[in-house]
Amino acid sequence: MSTVGSRLLSERVRSVGVYAALYGAAALFLVPYAYMVSTSLTPEQFTFSNKPYWIPPEITFRWYDAVLAGAPIVQWGFNTFVIAATTTVLVVLLDSMIAFSLTKLDWPGKRIVFTIIVASFMVPVFANMVPLYTIITDFGLINNPLAVILPFSAMPIGVFLFTQFFDDLPDSVIEAAKLDGFSTFQIYYKIVLPLMKPAIAALSLYTFVYTWNQFLWPLIVLQGQQQFTLPVGIVTMQPTQVFQPGAEMAGTFLAVLPLFVVFLILQEHLVNAVQMQGTTG
Amino acid sequence: MKAAGAAGIVGLAGCTGGGGGGNGGNGGSSAGSSGSGTTTIQFWTLFAGGDGEAMKAMVDQFNSEHDSIQVERQRQPFAEYYDKLFTAMTGGNAPDLAVFHTTELQRFVQAMQPLGDLLSSGAGDQYVSSIWDQTQYEGSRVALPLDTHPNGLYYNKDIFEEAGLDPESPPTSFSELQEAAGTIESETDKLAFSPDPYNLYQVRQFIAWLRGRGGTFLSDDKTSAEFGDAHGTALGEFYGNITGEWNWDEADATENRGTKAFRSGDLAMTINGTWYFGVLQQQDFGWGMAKPFVGPGQEVDLTWANSHTLGVPAGTDKAQAATEVAEWLTQNSLTWGTDAGHLPAASGVLESDELQSATVWDMTLSTYNEMAQNGALAYMPSTENNQDYQRPVNKALQQIYSDQATAADAIPSAAEQVTNNLQG
């Protein structure tokens, strides 16, 4: 009796410990975000004091006012959304087509093509910047959203990810569809894509976040203030040599907020994708 | 349901993407001269905060007073400004007019439009002659000076009172600095002095103080560093003593630490530029500004300075109009003085009653003006890439300041590295 009771107790203590450790670790990730929000609401005189405030003694919205009034931040948000959404759609479409033809179609030299695609993501983006800049200039696309969208519209990592998923798709499904008279494109569009929703969600989220956060390339090819994306625009607002943490944090918070919303919408698919990879891979 | 949503997103993205592209195209074409005879000048600046607002006001005024030329101000990120400008100018997508710091001119001079024939006659007489001379490159006029922005010594009058010092007599020499800072250190719980509140730009005042004590920073042909000698090491020791022996500041070179401390009223004295006026206007403590000739062993009075200039990239087909804009902006720069706190380079503005009766004149600009008139401004050398010397010197001084290295080690090795960079 007593041994059962003590075992129950020790199990309970252990699970309390596990939960405390897990939630504690999770809370650590929230610390910078909490500090960002707190600083963005703190009046100037308190942001310079020696001791940091978790909860500001006074709340002010003047940094948000300053950020929203001082710059076309809505326009930048819109630009970033258009660029990130278009890139995401193109990446999913093109990468899935490439992966489909690499895994489910027979054509000569496809191993070589696949090797080249996989090898290409060993090359750092920066190595391509100069030739890419010349090409974009020759096309007359400087200062055009397409200059940011097109170079990233077929990411090799997406092809790699999709081939892993498509490989797991039994060929018998495709054979059956062929017997039913489906064309190749119909197989891709009606059979493969609907079965690959978790993979599509995972890649979409990755691409969206990656494109949303891109800094260097948009900085180089987008020259006009009206065409800037959020990460580039927010940086132009940091006062030169004047330290204004409140304004910076308010700007940063506004820049990450849309990403957070997108994550909330897609998180279920993301978890599914990871689970599917984990169980089938 | 989900499929419909996805299709909706595709449609939206496709449609807005196309629209965005179209707008981009239109933006590009309207940048040229449009049918109505108005020339639009694309003007790149790196100004944000108070500087940005002052520049915006000036550009707005220009646009409202002119019909045939309109300026489109494009603000670019400060830290990446010159890299982006360099890419744009060498890649053939240059703006029509851009801001250049004097010390950056050498890097760009090959790709800039000489202004000689484009300037209106007698343009040079409109500017303070010492600044005018500092802002030309090897005898060629490639840019017009907007201002000069030197360093001064800023101090907190409240802390001076607390320490029993006269808040109206800030230190004017090294021995007076030692005395004042020593008193603050012993009488109050505040920090006494930080030579670079950002902990990022130590090289600026280091060069000025080095030359002030008779040292040489680079050789005349800018191929070797000369500061690894006794002068450089002695000055390096000064930086080390501030946080070490004298205990005037914490041995900590974290970015922006000094400016945070000064603005929260925990630091008594610091060296900073003209732009600090606008920032300190919002502080609730009493503050003053004095000449920063407080480095050890000063024989000649020198302080760091730089100028914003406006230059025309060579690729533009609107050089004449861009030059007109540059002349107007640099000669109608009252706001640049009163709001941004910089010393205007145009003599007419500098001597105007409006500027001399403004608050900024009493607080800072009269002192800066005096230093400019006395030839106390030390511009940093302009090389192909100024990071060649800035980065090693900043790093060495940060290490000395935070007690990671001694001046005797760090300064000569920084000098060696600068020489390698310059010759590499």
Side-chain angles (χ1 to χ4, degrees), chain A residues 44 48 50 133 219 222-225 228 236 238 240-241 243, chain B residues 46 74-76 78 84 93 198 204 256 263-264 266 275 282:
Chain A
E44 187 160 72
F48 297 115
N50 279 332
Y133 184 79
L219 172 77
L222 300 179
Q223 300 190 335
Q225 207 172 311
F228 282 167
T236 64
Q238 289 181 0
T240 40
Q241 302 186 339
F243 187 63
Chain B
L46 39 52
Q74 306 290 356
R75 201 167 58 181
Q76 308 292 350
F78 179 77
K84 184 167 178 179
N93 300 295
Y198 306 107
R204 294 177 174 173
N256 287 324
R263 294 183 61 189
S264 65
D266 295 325
W275 57 86
Q282 297 156 17

PDB file of all heavy atoms in Angstrom, chain A residues 44 48 50 133 219 222-225 228 236 238 240-241 243, chain B residues 46 74-76 78 84 93 198 204 256 263-264 266 275 282:
ATOM      1  N   GLU A  44      10.741  57.053 -23.052  1.00  0.00           N
ATOM      2  CA  GLU A  44      12.169  57.149 -23.303  1.00  0.00           C
ATOM      3  C   GLU A  44      13.026  57.153 -22.041  1.00  0.00           C
ATOM      4  O   GLU A  44      14.027  56.459 -21.960  1.00  0.00           O
ATOM      5  CB  GLU A  44      12.460  58.404 -24.126  1.00  0.00           C
ATOM      6  CG  GLU A  44      13.892  58.494 -24.563  1.00  0.00           C
ATOM      7  CD  GLU A  44      14.061  59.427 -25.743  1.00  0.00           C
ATOM      8  OE1 GLU A  44      13.941  60.650 -25.565  1.00  0.00           O
ATOM      9  OE2 GLU A  44      14.285  58.922 -26.842  1.00  0.00           O
ATOM     10  N   PHE A  48      16.630  54.092 -20.842  1.00  0.00           N
ATOM     11  CA  PHE A  48      18.064  54.288 -20.663  1.00  0.00           C
ATOM     12  C   PHE A  48      18.539  53.938 -19.264  1.00  0.00           C
ATOM     13  O   PHE A  48      19.716  53.987 -18.989  1.00  0.00           O
ATOM     14  CB  PHE A  48      18.435  55.743 -20.944  1.00  0.00           C
ATOM     15  CG  PHE A  48      18.156  56.119 -22.356  1.00  0.00           C
ATOM     16  CD1 PHE A  48      17.203  57.059 -22.663  1.00  0.00           C
ATOM     17  CD2 PHE A  48      18.851  55.508 -23.380  1.00  0.00           C
ATOM     18  CE1 PHE A  48      16.942  57.377 -23.974  1.00  0.00           C
ATOM     19  CE2 PHE A  48      18.594  55.828 -24.694  1.00  0.00           C
ATOM     20  CZ  PHE A  48      17.635  56.769 -24.989  1.00  0.00           C
ATOM     21  N   ASN A  50      19.598  52.099 -15.762  1.00  0.00           N
ATOM     22  CA  ASN A  50      20.499  50.976 -15.532  1.00  0.00           C
ATOM     23  C   ASN A  50      19.769  49.663 -15.379  1.00  0.00           C
ATOM     24  O   ASN A  50      20.193  48.631 -15.850  1.00  0.00           O
ATOM     25  CB  ASN A  50      21.323  51.223 -14.268  1.00  0.00           C
ATOM     26  CG  ASN A  50      22.477  52.141 -14.563  1.00  0.00           C
ATOM     27  OD1 ASN A  50      22.965  52.164 -15.694  1.00  0.00           O
ATOM     28  ND2 ASN A  50      22.892  52.919 -13.594  1.00  0.00           N
ATOM     29  N   TYR A 133      22.643  40.242 -60.130  1.00  0.00           N
ATOM     30  CA  TYR A 133      22.397  41.686 -60.214  1.00  0.00           C
ATOM     31  C   TYR A 133      22.517  42.165 -61.665  1.00  0.00           C
ATOM     32  O   TYR A 133      21.698  42.943 -62.145  1.00  0.00           O
ATOM     33  CB  TYR A 133      23.396  42.436 -59.319  1.00  0.00           C
ATOM     34  CG  TYR A 133      23.164  43.927 -59.263  1.00  0.00           C
ATOM     35  CD1 TYR A 133      22.149  44.453 -58.457  1.00  0.00           C
ATOM     36  CD2 TYR A 133      23.933  44.806 -60.013  1.00  0.00           C
ATOM     37  CE1 TYR A 133      21.925  45.814 -58.404  1.00  0.00           C
ATOM     38  CE2 TYR A 133      23.711  46.170 -59.964  1.00  0.00           C
ATOM     39  CZ  TYR A 133      22.715  46.669 -59.151  1.00  0.00           C
ATOM     40  OH  TYR A 133      22.491  48.021 -59.102  1.00  0.00           O
ATOM     41  N   LEU A 219      17.497  44.700 -50.395  1.00  0.00           N
ATOM     42  CA  LEU A 219      18.220  45.953 -50.154  1.00  0.00           C
ATOM     43  C   LEU A 219      18.957  46.393 -51.412  1.00  0.00           C
ATOM     44  O   LEU A 219      18.994  47.577 -51.757  1.00  0.00           O
ATOM     45  CB  LEU A 219      19.213  45.760 -49.010  1.00  0.00           C
ATOM     46  CG  LEU A 219      20.174  46.927 -48.753  1.00  0.00           C
ATOM     47  CD1 LEU A 219      19.453  48.043 -48.020  1.00  0.00           C
ATOM     48  CD2 LEU A 219      21.381  46.488 -47.956  1.00  0.00           C
ATOM     49  N   LEU A 222      15.950  46.844 -54.556  1.00  0.00           N
ATOM     50  CA  LEU A 222      14.840  47.776 -54.374  1.00  0.00           C
ATOM     51  C   LEU A 222      15.424  49.121 -53.947  1.00  0.00           C
ATOM     52  O   LEU A 222      16.041  49.227 -52.895  1.00  0.00           O
ATOM     53  CB  LEU A 222      13.863  47.271 -53.317  1.00  0.00           C
ATOM     54  CG  LEU A 222      13.212  45.930 -53.624  1.00  0.00           C
ATOM     55  CD1 LEU A 222      12.294  45.525 -52.485  1.00  0.00           C
ATOM     56  CD2 LEU A 222      12.446  45.968 -54.931  1.00  0.00           C
ATOM     57  N   GLN A 223      15.237  50.139 -54.774  1.00  0.00           N
ATOM     58  CA  GLN A 223      15.911  51.402 -54.492  1.00  0.00           C
ATOM     59  C   GLN A 223      14.987  52.479 -53.970  1.00  0.00           C
ATOM     60  O   GLN A 223      15.401  53.366 -53.242  1.00  0.00           O
ATOM     61  CB  GLN A 223      16.606  51.892 -55.764  1.00  0.00           C
ATOM     62  CG  GLN A 223      17.643  50.896 -56.253  1.00  0.00           C
ATOM     63  CD  GLN A 223      18.494  51.458 -57.360  1.00  0.00           C
ATOM     64  OE1 GLN A 223      18.073  52.361 -58.070  1.00  0.00           O
ATOM     65  NE2 GLN A 223      19.691  50.931 -57.513  1.00  0.00           N
ATOM     66  N   GLY A 224      13.725  52.441 -54.367  1.00  0.00           N
ATOM     67  CA  GLY A 224      12.815  53.510 -53.970  1.00  0.00           C
ATOM     68  C   GLY A 224      12.156  53.189 -52.647  1.00  0.00           C
ATOM     69  O   GLY A 224      11.847  52.035 -52.359  1.00  0.00           O
ATOM     70  N   GLN A 225      11.924  54.226 -51.856  1.00  0.00           N
ATOM     71  CA  GLN A 225      11.337  54.020 -50.536  1.00  0.00           C
ATOM     72  C   GLN A 225       9.954  53.367 -50.632  1.00  0.00           C
ATOM     73  O   GLN A 225       9.563  52.619 -49.757  1.00  0.00           O
ATOM     74  CB  GLN A 225      11.238  55.371 -49.857  1.00  0.00           C
ATOM     75  CG  GLN A 225      11.271  55.287 -48.355  1.00  0.00           C
ATOM     76  CD  GLN A 225      11.372  56.671 -47.747  1.00  0.00           C
ATOM     77  OE1 GLN A 225      12.206  57.474 -48.145  1.00  0.00           O
ATOM     78  NE2 GLN A 225      10.518  56.972 -46.808  1.00  0.00           N
ATOM     79  N   PHE A 228      10.287  49.450 -50.906  1.00  0.00           N
ATOM     80  CA  PHE A 228      10.984  48.677 -49.877  1.00  0.00           C
ATOM     81  C   PHE A 228      10.102  47.579 -49.291  1.00  0.00           C
ATOM     82  O   PHE A 228       8.886  47.686 -49.257  1.00  0.00           O
ATOM     83  CB  PHE A 228      11.402  49.579 -48.727  1.00  0.00           C
ATOM     84  CG  PHE A 228      12.623  50.415 -49.002  1.00  0.00           C
ATOM     85  CD1 PHE A 228      12.952  51.462 -48.165  1.00  0.00           C
ATOM     86  CD2 PHE A 228      13.424  50.150 -50.091  1.00  0.00           C
ATOM     87  CE1 PHE A 228      14.068  52.241 -48.411  1.00  0.00           C
ATOM     88  CE2 PHE A 228      14.544  50.923 -50.347  1.00  0.00           C
ATOM     89  CZ  PHE A 228      14.865  51.973 -49.502  1.00  0.00           C
ATOM     90  N   THR A 236      15.824  51.590 -42.418  1.00  0.00           N
ATOM     91  CA  THR A 236      16.010  52.997 -42.807  1.00  0.00           C
ATOM     92  C   THR A 236      15.471  53.932 -41.737  1.00  0.00           C
ATOM     93  O   THR A 236      15.780  55.116 -41.731  1.00  0.00           O
ATOM     94  CB  THR A 236      15.285  53.360 -44.115  1.00  0.00           C
ATOM     95  OG1 THR A 236      13.889  53.222 -43.922  1.00  0.00           O
ATOM     96  CG2 THR A 236      15.745  52.512 -45.266  1.00  0.00           C
ATOM     97  N   GLN A 238      15.869  53.575 -38.446  1.00  0.00           N
ATOM     98  CA  GLN A 238      16.687  53.694 -37.238  1.00  0.00           C
ATOM     99  C   GLN A 238      17.452  55.003 -37.309  1.00  0.00           C
ATOM    100  O   GLN A 238      18.168  55.247 -38.263  1.00  0.00           O
ATOM    101  CB  GLN A 238      17.671  52.529 -37.148  1.00  0.00           C
ATOM    102  CG  GLN A 238      16.954  51.247 -36.826  1.00  0.00           C
ATOM    103  CD  GLN A 238      17.902  50.080 -36.715  1.00  0.00           C
ATOM    104  OE1 GLN A 238      19.098  50.221 -36.878  1.00  0.00           O
ATOM    105  NE2 GLN A 238      17.353  48.913 -36.457  1.00  0.00           N
ATOM    106  N   THR A 240      20.086  57.848 -37.205  1.00  0.00           N
ATOM    107  CA  THR A 240      21.522  57.750 -37.361  1.00  0.00           C
ATOM    108  C   THR A 240      22.213  58.157 -36.068  1.00  0.00           C
ATOM    109  O   THR A 240      22.058  59.278 -35.612  1.00  0.00           O
ATOM    110  CB  THR A 240      21.995  58.674 -38.482  1.00  0.00           C
ATOM    111  OG1 THR A 240      21.264  59.893 -38.379  1.00  0.00           O
ATOM    112  CG2 THR A 240      21.752  58.081 -39.831  1.00  0.00           C
ATOM    113  N   GLN A 241      22.957  57.264 -35.492  1.00  0.00           N
ATOM    114  CA  GLN A 241      23.780  57.532 -34.322  1.00  0.00           C
ATOM    115  C   GLN A 241      22.989  58.033 -33.118  1.00  0.00           C
ATOM    116  O   GLN A 241      23.531  58.620 -32.206  1.00  0.00           O
ATOM    117  CB  GLN A 241      24.893  58.514 -34.652  1.00  0.00           C
ATOM    118  CG  GLN A 241      25.753  57.986 -35.783  1.00  0.00           C
ATOM    119  CD  GLN A 241      26.942  58.842 -36.051  1.00  0.00           C
ATOM    120  OE1 GLN A 241      26.963  60.003 -35.699  1.00  0.00           O
ATOM    121  NE2 GLN A 241      27.945  58.273 -36.675  1.00  0.00           N
ATOM    122  N   PHE A 243      20.318  56.660 -30.259  1.00  0.00           N
ATOM    123  CA  PHE A 243      19.836  55.381 -29.784  1.00  0.00           C
ATOM    124  C   PHE A 243      18.385  55.498 -29.331  1.00  0.00           C
ATOM    125  O   PHE A 243      18.082  56.227 -28.403  1.00  0.00           O
ATOM    126  CB  PHE A 243      20.740  54.945 -28.632  1.00  0.00           C
ATOM    127  CG  PHE A 243      20.476  53.573 -28.158  1.00  0.00           C
ATOM    128  CD1 PHE A 243      20.665  52.504 -29.006  1.00  0.00           C
ATOM    129  CD2 PHE A 243      20.029  53.339 -26.882  1.00  0.00           C
ATOM    130  CE1 PHE A 243      20.429  51.221 -28.583  1.00  0.00           C
ATOM    131  CE2 PHE A 243      19.789  52.057 -26.446  1.00  0.00           C
ATOM    132  CZ  PHE A 243      19.990  51.002 -27.295  1.00  0.00           C
TER     133      PHE A 243
ATOM    134  N   LEU B  46      20.889  59.231 -46.351  1.00  0.00           N
ATOM    135  CA  LEU B  46      21.014  58.217 -45.289  1.00  0.00           C
ATOM    136  C   LEU B  46      20.507  58.782 -43.981  1.00  0.00           C
ATOM    137  O   LEU B  46      20.811  58.259 -42.916  1.00  0.00           O
ATOM    138  CB  LEU B  46      22.479  57.753 -45.170  1.00  0.00           C
ATOM    139  CG  LEU B  46      23.612  58.762 -45.302  1.00  0.00           C
ATOM    140  CD1 LEU B  46      23.483  59.946 -44.417  1.00  0.00           C
ATOM    141  CD2 LEU B  46      24.938  58.069 -45.122  1.00  0.00           C
ATOM    142  N   GLN B  74      14.805  59.554 -51.437  1.00  0.00           N
ATOM    143  CA  GLN B  74      14.781  58.119 -51.121  1.00  0.00           C
ATOM    144  C   GLN B  74      15.719  57.874 -49.954  1.00  0.00           C
ATOM    145  O   GLN B  74      16.924  58.008 -50.083  1.00  0.00           O
ATOM    146  CB  GLN B  74      15.244  57.285 -52.325  1.00  0.00           C
ATOM    147  CG  GLN B  74      14.495  57.559 -53.605  1.00  0.00           C
ATOM    148  CD  GLN B  74      13.061  57.053 -53.575  1.00  0.00           C
ATOM    149  OE1 GLN B  74      12.635  56.419 -52.613  1.00  0.00           O
ATOM    150  NE2 GLN B  74      12.316  57.342 -54.620  1.00  0.00           N
ATOM    151  N   ARG B  75      15.135  57.516 -48.818  1.00  0.00           N
ATOM    152  CA  ARG B  75      15.969  57.287 -47.641  1.00  0.00           C
ATOM    153  C   ARG B  75      16.479  55.856 -47.649  1.00  0.00           C
ATOM    154  O   ARG B  75      15.696  54.925 -47.774  1.00  0.00           O
ATOM    155  CB  ARG B  75      15.134  57.550 -46.393  1.00  0.00           C
ATOM    156  CG  ARG B  75      15.940  57.831 -45.175  1.00  0.00           C
ATOM    157  CD  ARG B  75      15.052  58.372 -44.110  1.00  0.00           C
ATOM    158  NE  ARG B  75      13.981  57.436 -43.801  1.00  0.00           N
ATOM    159  CZ  ARG B  75      13.045  57.684 -42.899  1.00  0.00           C
ATOM    160  NH1 ARG B  75      13.034  58.826 -42.264  1.00  0.00           N
ATOM    161  NH2 ARG B  75      12.115  56.795 -42.644  1.00  0.00           N
ATOM    162  N   GLN B  76      17.772  55.659 -47.545  1.00  0.00           N
ATOM    163  CA  GLN B  76      18.366  54.320 -47.569  1.00  0.00           C
ATOM    164  C   GLN B  76      18.919  53.997 -46.178  1.00  0.00           C
ATOM    165  O   GLN B  76      19.234  54.896 -45.418  1.00  0.00           O
ATOM    166  CB  GLN B  76      19.489  54.257 -48.609  1.00  0.00           C
ATOM    167  CG  GLN B  76      19.100  54.738 -50.000  1.00  0.00           C
ATOM    168  CD  GLN B  76      18.097  53.834 -50.702  1.00  0.00           C
ATOM    169  OE1 GLN B  76      17.805  52.734 -50.243  1.00  0.00           O
ATOM    170  NE2 GLN B  76      17.536  54.305 -51.805  1.00  0.00           N
ATOM    171  N   PHE B  78      21.179  53.438 -43.130  1.00  0.00           N
ATOM    172  CA  PHE B  78      22.439  54.115 -42.794  1.00  0.00           C
ATOM    173  C   PHE B  78      23.640  53.177 -42.888  1.00  0.00           C
ATOM    174  O   PHE B  78      24.634  53.470 -43.539  1.00  0.00           O
ATOM    175  CB  PHE B  78      22.318  54.699 -41.381  1.00  0.00           C
ATOM    176  CG  PHE B  78      23.545  55.415 -40.887  1.00  0.00           C
ATOM    177  CD1 PHE B  78      23.834  56.686 -41.345  1.00  0.00           C
ATOM    178  CD2 PHE B  78      24.393  54.826 -39.966  1.00  0.00           C
ATOM    179  CE1 PHE B  78      24.969  57.352 -40.897  1.00  0.00           C
ATOM    180  CE2 PHE B  78      25.520  55.492 -39.511  1.00  0.00           C
ATOM    181  CZ  PHE B  78      25.808  56.758 -39.976  1.00  0.00           C
ATOM    182  N   LYS B  84      25.382  50.013 -50.780  1.00  0.00           N
ATOM    183  CA  LYS B  84      24.279  50.016 -51.732  1.00  0.00           C
ATOM    184  C   LYS B  84      24.524  51.057 -52.821  1.00  0.00           C
ATOM    185  O   LYS B  84      24.301  50.805 -54.008  1.00  0.00           O
ATOM    186  CB  LYS B  84      22.985  50.312 -50.976  1.00  0.00           C
ATOM    187  CG  LYS B  84      21.772  50.241 -51.858  1.00  0.00           C
ATOM    188  CD  LYS B  84      20.500  50.213 -51.058  1.00  0.00           C
ATOM    189  CE  LYS B  84      19.314  50.188 -51.994  1.00  0.00           C
ATOM    190  NZ  LYS B  84      18.039  50.143 -51.314  1.00  0.00           N
ATOM    191  N   ASN B  93      22.723  51.834 -62.076  1.00  0.00           N
ATOM    192  CA  ASN B  93      21.368  52.197 -61.626  1.00  0.00           C
ATOM    193  C   ASN B  93      21.435  53.343 -60.622  1.00  0.00           C
ATOM    194  O   ASN B  93      20.711  53.368 -59.637  1.00  0.00           O
ATOM    195  CB  ASN B  93      20.695  51.008 -60.955  1.00  0.00           C
ATOM    196  CG  ASN B  93      20.571  49.841 -61.900  1.00  0.00           C
ATOM    197  OD1 ASN B  93      19.861  49.926 -62.885  1.00  0.00           O
ATOM    198  ND2 ASN B  93      21.294  48.774 -61.623  1.00  0.00           N
ATOM    199  N   TYR B 198      29.237  55.582 -28.081  1.00  0.00           N
ATOM    200  CA  TYR B 198      28.661  54.488 -28.853  1.00  0.00           C
ATOM    201  C   TYR B 198      29.542  53.244 -28.790  1.00  0.00           C
ATOM    202  O   TYR B 198      29.118  52.161 -29.159  1.00  0.00           O
ATOM    203  CB  TYR B 198      28.482  54.892 -30.317  1.00  0.00           C
ATOM    204  CG  TYR B 198      27.684  56.156 -30.471  1.00  0.00           C
ATOM    205  CD1 TYR B 198      28.292  57.339 -30.842  1.00  0.00           C
ATOM    206  CD2 TYR B 198      26.321  56.162 -30.215  1.00  0.00           C
ATOM    207  CE1 TYR B 198      27.562  58.508 -30.962  1.00  0.00           C
ATOM    208  CE2 TYR B 198      25.580  57.328 -30.333  1.00  0.00           C
ATOM    209  CZ  TYR B 198      26.206  58.494 -30.702  1.00  0.00           C
ATOM    210  OH  TYR B 198      25.488  59.641 -30.810  1.00  0.00           O
ATOM    211  N   ARG B 204      37.605  58.030 -34.549  1.00  0.00           N
ATOM    212  CA  ARG B 204      37.399  59.422 -34.953  1.00  0.00           C
ATOM    213  C   ARG B 204      38.200  60.390 -34.085  1.00  0.00           C
ATOM    214  O   ARG B 204      39.036  61.151 -34.567  1.00  0.00           O
ATOM    215  CB  ARG B 204      35.916  59.773 -34.832  1.00  0.00           C
ATOM    216  CG  ARG B 204      35.043  59.012 -35.796  1.00  0.00           C
ATOM    217  CD  ARG B 204      33.600  59.367 -35.548  1.00  0.00           C
ATOM    218  NE  ARG B 204      32.737  58.769 -36.558  1.00  0.00           N
ATOM    219  CZ  ARG B 204      31.406  58.811 -36.506  1.00  0.00           C
ATOM    220  NH1 ARG B 204      30.804  59.413 -35.482  1.00  0.00           N
ATOM    221  NH2 ARG B 204      30.689  58.266 -37.455  1.00  0.00           N
ATOM    222  N   ASN B 256      26.735  51.289 -27.608  1.00  0.00           N
ATOM    223  CA  ASN B 256      25.775  52.289 -27.114  1.00  0.00           C
ATOM    224  C   ASN B 256      25.714  52.439 -25.590  1.00  0.00           C
ATOM    225  O   ASN B 256      24.865  53.174 -25.095  1.00  0.00           O
ATOM    226  CB  ASN B 256      24.342  51.984 -27.607  1.00  0.00           C
ATOM    227  CG  ASN B 256      24.184  52.282 -29.076  1.00  0.00           C
ATOM    228  OD1 ASN B 256      24.777  53.236 -29.581  1.00  0.00           O
ATOM    229  ND2 ASN B 256      23.418  51.483 -29.771  1.00  0.00           N
ATOM    230  N   ARG B 263      22.406  59.633 -21.319  1.00  0.00           N
ATOM    231  CA  ARG B 263      21.016  60.083 -21.437  1.00  0.00           C
ATOM    232  C   ARG B 263      20.184  59.725 -20.212  1.00  0.00           C
ATOM    233  O   ARG B 263      19.166  60.367 -19.950  1.00  0.00           O
ATOM    234  CB  ARG B 263      20.401  59.525 -22.716  1.00  0.00           C
ATOM    235  CG  ARG B 263      21.082  60.136 -23.940  1.00  0.00           C
ATOM    236  CD  ARG B 263      20.475  59.693 -25.217  1.00  0.00           C
ATOM    237  NE  ARG B 263      19.085  60.089 -25.307  1.00  0.00           N
ATOM    238  CZ  ARG B 263      18.272  59.672 -26.260  1.00  0.00           C
ATOM    239  NH1 ARG B 263      18.707  58.852 -27.184  1.00  0.00           N
ATOM    240  NH2 ARG B 263      17.021  60.078 -26.289  1.00  0.00           N
ATOM    241  N   SER B 264      20.607  58.718 -19.458  1.00  0.00           N
ATOM    242  CA  SER B 264      19.859  58.438 -18.229  1.00  0.00           C
ATOM    243  C   SER B 264      20.416  59.238 -17.062  1.00  0.00           C
ATOM    244  O   SER B 264      19.957  59.098 -15.935  1.00  0.00           O
ATOM    245  CB  SER B 264      19.888  56.943 -17.923  1.00  0.00           C
ATOM    246  OG  SER B 264      21.210  56.545 -17.643  1.00  0.00           O
ATOM    247  N   ASP B 266      23.580  59.171 -15.876  1.00  0.00           N
ATOM    248  CA  ASP B 266      24.546  58.438 -15.064  1.00  0.00           C
ATOM    249  C   ASP B 266      25.989  58.672 -15.478  1.00  0.00           C
ATOM    250  O   ASP B 266      26.907  58.115 -14.897  1.00  0.00           O
ATOM    251  CB  ASP B 266      24.262  56.923 -15.151  1.00  0.00           C
ATOM    252  CG  ASP B 266      22.925  56.578 -14.541  1.00  0.00           C
ATOM    253  OD1 ASP B 266      22.555  57.223 -13.548  1.00  0.00           O
ATOM    254  OD2 ASP B 266      22.245  55.673 -15.069  1.00  0.00           O
ATOM    255  N   TRP B 275      25.038  66.395 -33.830  1.00  0.00           N
ATOM    256  CA  TRP B 275      23.668  65.858 -33.821  1.00  0.00           C
ATOM    257  C   TRP B 275      23.127  65.594 -32.420  1.00  0.00           C
ATOM    258  O   TRP B 275      21.935  65.407 -32.249  1.00  0.00           O
ATOM    259  CB  TRP B 275      23.620  64.555 -34.630  1.00  0.00           C
ATOM    260  CG  TRP B 275      24.584  63.534 -34.118  1.00  0.00           C
ATOM    261  CD1 TRP B 275      24.363  62.641 -33.123  1.00  0.00           C
ATOM    262  CD2 TRP B 275      25.936  63.321 -34.547  1.00  0.00           C
ATOM    263  NE1 TRP B 275      25.490  61.887 -32.897  1.00  0.00           N
ATOM    264  CE2 TRP B 275      26.476  62.284 -33.751  1.00  0.00           C
ATOM    265  CE3 TRP B 275      26.739  63.915 -35.524  1.00  0.00           C
ATOM    266  CZ2 TRP B 275      27.778  61.819 -33.907  1.00  0.00           C
ATOM    267  CZ3 TRP B 275      28.030  63.451 -35.664  1.00  0.00           C
ATOM    268  CH2 TRP B 275      28.538  62.421 -34.867  1.00  0.00           C
ATOM    269  N   GLN B 282      15.664  66.800 -25.513  1.00  0.00           N
ATOM    270  CA  GLN B 282      14.563  66.081 -24.858  1.00  0.00           C
ATOM    271  C   GLN B 282      14.926  65.608 -23.450  1.00  0.00           C
ATOM    272  O   GLN B 282      14.121  64.956 -22.796  1.00  0.00           O
ATOM    273  CB  GLN B 282      14.163  64.867 -25.702  1.00  0.00           C
ATOM    274  CG  GLN B 282      13.624  65.264 -27.062  1.00  0.00           C
ATOM    275  CD  GLN B 282      13.769  64.140 -28.081  1.00  0.00           C
ATOM    276  OE1 GLN B 282      13.970  62.988 -27.730  1.00  0.00           O
ATOM    277  NE2 GLN B 282      13.663  64.486 -29.357  1.00  0.00           N
TER     278      GLN B 282
END
